[in-house]
């Protein structure tokens, strides 16, 4: 049986390392809030073999942004939509920057 690679994957932003209880504690929120943003389809936690929700660091950053908006009076559904749009915009900007770099002519020989 192969060794568990959990320790090596803790640096992976997408690795579902945190239980719902730990995630709620880290975000200083309730488990109900995490369930609500899951129902609003902002994040979809993975499930452990026992069916427990597990969250990644990336998901916790997304949840923290939603929590910030909700704390400032934004309804949870609207907060989730805002965060989704912010995330999509960031991804589109990243892709555009990659395309711009790929389209740049190479510099003169010997330059870095």
């Amino acid at each position: 049986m192969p060794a568990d690679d959990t320790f090596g994957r803790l640096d992976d932003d997408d690795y579902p390392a945190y239980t719902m209880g730990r995630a709620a504690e880290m975000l200083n929120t309730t488990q109900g809030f995490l369930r609500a943003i899951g129902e609003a389809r902002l994040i979809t936690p993975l499930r452990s073999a026992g069916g427990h929700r597990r969250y990644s660091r990336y998901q916790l950053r997304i949840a923290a942004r939603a929590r910030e908006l909700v704390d400032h009076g934004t309804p949870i559904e609207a907060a989730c939509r805002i965060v989704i749009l912010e995330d999509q915009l960031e991804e589109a900007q990243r892709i555009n920057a990659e395309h711009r770099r790929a389209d740049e002519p190479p510099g003169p020989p010997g330059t870095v």
Side-chain angles (χ1 to χ4, degrees):
M1 185 157 126
D4 185 4
D5 188 32
T6 300
F7 184 73
R9 295 173 56 189
L10 290 178
D11 287 338
D12 181 353
D13 262 4
D14 295 318
Y15 181 69
Y18 304 98
T19 63
M20 176 180 268
R22 180 67 180 128
E25 181 181 305
M26 291 170 69
L27 297 172
N28 195 28
T29 191
T30 65
Q31 293 181 14
F33 176 79
L34 292 173
R35 282 188 206 95
I37 63 174
E39 289 170 9
R41 297 179 190 222
L42 177 61
I43 57 176
T44 304
L46 270 75
R47 298 284 182 150
S48 69
H52 300 282
R53 291 174 178 88
R54 305 284 294 194
Y55 297 88
S56 68
R57 287 190 305 202
Y58 172 76
Q59 290 173 322
L60 295 183
R61 283 195 303 275
I62 296 292
R65 176 64 179 133
R67 168 76 196 270
E68 179 183 333
L69 291 167
V70 169
D71 286 350
H72 286 95
T74 305
I76 197 162
E77 295 81 13
C80 290
R81 184 67 181 138
I82 289 167
V83 173
I84 289 167
L85 291 171
E86 288 175 342
D87 198 47
Q88 289 173 342
L89 176 60
E90 183 179 319
E91 177 68 7
Q93 289 172 331
R94 185 191 62 74
I95 291 168
N96 285 340
E98 286 177 6
H99 287 296
R100 278 193 296 277
R101 281 191 299 275
D103 291 340
E104 289 177 358
T111 62
V112 178

